[in-house]
Amino acid sequence: AQSVAQPEDQVNVAEGNPLTVKCTYSVSGNPYLFWYVQYPNRGLQFLLKYITGDNLVKGSYGFEAEFNKSQTSFHLKKPSALVSDSALYFCAVRDDNTDKLIFGTGTRLQVFP
Amino acid sequence: DAMVIQNPRYQVTQFGKPVTLSCSQTLNHNVMYWYQQKSSQAPKLLFHYYDKDFNNEADTPDNFQSRRPNTSFCFLDIRSPGLGDAAMYLCATSRDGRRGNEQFFGPGTRLTVL
C-alpha cells in the first residue's frame, strides 16, 4: 500500500536560514509526489510535484523539493526562510490503485524573526 | 482568476439540524472532491465525483451525502450533524483523474455544531 511519512511534527528555523521539511514515501509503482501548504483557516495550496524527469523540482514561493529514489524521500527545501512561510505543510502521494491522494500527517513550520 | 469557491466560510448549526455546504469552480475540471479535516490533521477524503460518477469512500458515514448538479457545482449535505462532525470541510478539483494532476483546493468551510 502506498504511504507517506512526515517524521517531524514541527520544524523551527530562523528567518534567513535554509529550511527543510522531510517526507519519505512508499509506493509499489512510479511515485507521483506532491507538496501542499496550508495557512491558518485556509485550504491547501499546491506548491510543487514530482512526476518524472529532473530530481530537483522547483515550485511556488521559492520552494523546491529533491526526489531521491534510493532513499525514497521527497524533502521540501527553501534556501532562505521567511516569517510568512510559517504554515502547515503536507506531503502527498498518488495511490497507484485508486488515484487518490494519500497525505502525510503534516509538519508545522515555524519561522522566527 | 479561475478558482474554487466555498460558501459559507463559516457555518454554525445545531446538533441534528441538516446543513448544506456548497462548492463551485470556474476551472472547468472534471473531478470534484470533498474532504473533512479536523484540527490540523491530514484531510480525509469523503467522496469524489468524476464527472457525474459518484465515488463514496467506504468509511464515509451515511450521514454525509453529496450532489453535483452540473460541472461547476458540488454540495455536501450533512443530514443530522453530530458534535463529532465539527471540522473544516474542503472542496477540491482536478482537471481529470490522471495521477500527475494536482488538486486545487477551496478555502474551506469551518463547521461548528452546537
Side-chain angles (χ1 to χ4, degrees):
Chain A
Q2 280 67 225
S3 65
V4 289
Q6 294 181 245
E8 302 156 317
D9 289 337
Q10 179 151 334
V11 170
N12 299 318
V13 64
E15 188 174 32
N17 283 1
L19 69 88
T20 298
V21 183
K22 295 180 180 177
C23 173
T24 59
Y25 66 90
S26 174
V27 299
S28 54
N30 292 324
Y32 293 81
L33 296 159
F34 303 81
W35 273 104
Y36 287 85
V37 61
Q38 186 176 32
Y39 296 98
N41 289 314
R42 303 293 297 180
L44 278 66
Q45 294 180 31
F46 169 73
L47 281 177
L48 48 80
K49 65 182 178 183
Y50 174 83
I51 301 173
T52 186
D54 289 341
N55 290 341
L56 186 64
V57 179
K58 293 190 181 296
S60 306
Y61 312 121
F63 284 93
E64 58 190 28
E66 186 171 7
F67 173 72
N68 188 316
K69 188 173 183 178
S70 62
Q71 297 185 6
T72 61
S73 66
F74 189 55
H75 301 331
L76 182 70
K77 300 182 179 184
K78 187 173 182 180
S80 178
L82 300 173
V83 173
S84 57
D85 293 329
S86 299
L88 187 59
Y89 290 79
F90 288 101
C91 181
V93 66
R94 206 68 182 254
D95 187 284
D96 271 351
N97 296 320
T98 65
D99 288 339
K100 298 173 195 172
L101 272 182
I102 299 171
F103 288 94
T105 50
T107 298
R108 187 166 299 282
L109 173 66
Q110 191 72 43
V111 181
F112 294 95
Chain B
D1 285 342
M3 56 177 61
V4 181
I5 302 162
Q6 290 189 245
N7 286 306
R9 293 293 315 281
Y10 299 90
Q11 177 73 58
V12 180
T13 190
Q14 292 180 336
F15 183 93
K17 186 174 181 181
V19 66
T20 294
L21 310 181
S22 73
C23 176
S24 63
Q25 53 124 344
T26 61
L27 297 160
N28 203 31
H29 283 175
N30 287 335
V31 193
M32 295 188 77
Y33 308 81
W34 278 107
Y35 290 88
Q36 179 192 66
Q37 186 183 28
K38 293 187 176 182
S39 57
S40 299
Q41 296 176 16
K44 178 182 180 298
L45 183 64
L46 296 173
F47 22 61
H48 72 281
Y49 280 91
Y50 194 107
D51 288 332
K52 295 181 180 180
D53 292 334
F54 176 69
N55 298 274
N56 197 32
E57 292 301 296
D59 58 353
T60 298
D62 292 340
N63 198 24
F64 290 83
Q65 304 286 318
S66 184
R67 297 169 282 137
R68 188 178 184 186
N70 54 52
T71 301
S72 301
F73 285 87
C74 196
F75 299 97
L76 170 61
D77 301 309
I78 308 177
R79 292 190 295 187
S80 182
L83 298 179
D85 297 328
M88 175 77 92
Y89 290 88
L90 298 169
C91 175
T93 72
S94 68
R95 186 169 48 154
D96 54 39
R98 295 180 191 177
R99 295 174 192 169
N101 286 336
E102 61 270 28
Q103 293 182 15
F104 294 83
F105 285 79
T109 295
R110 182 166 295 283
L111 178 68
T112 300
V113 182
L114 301 177

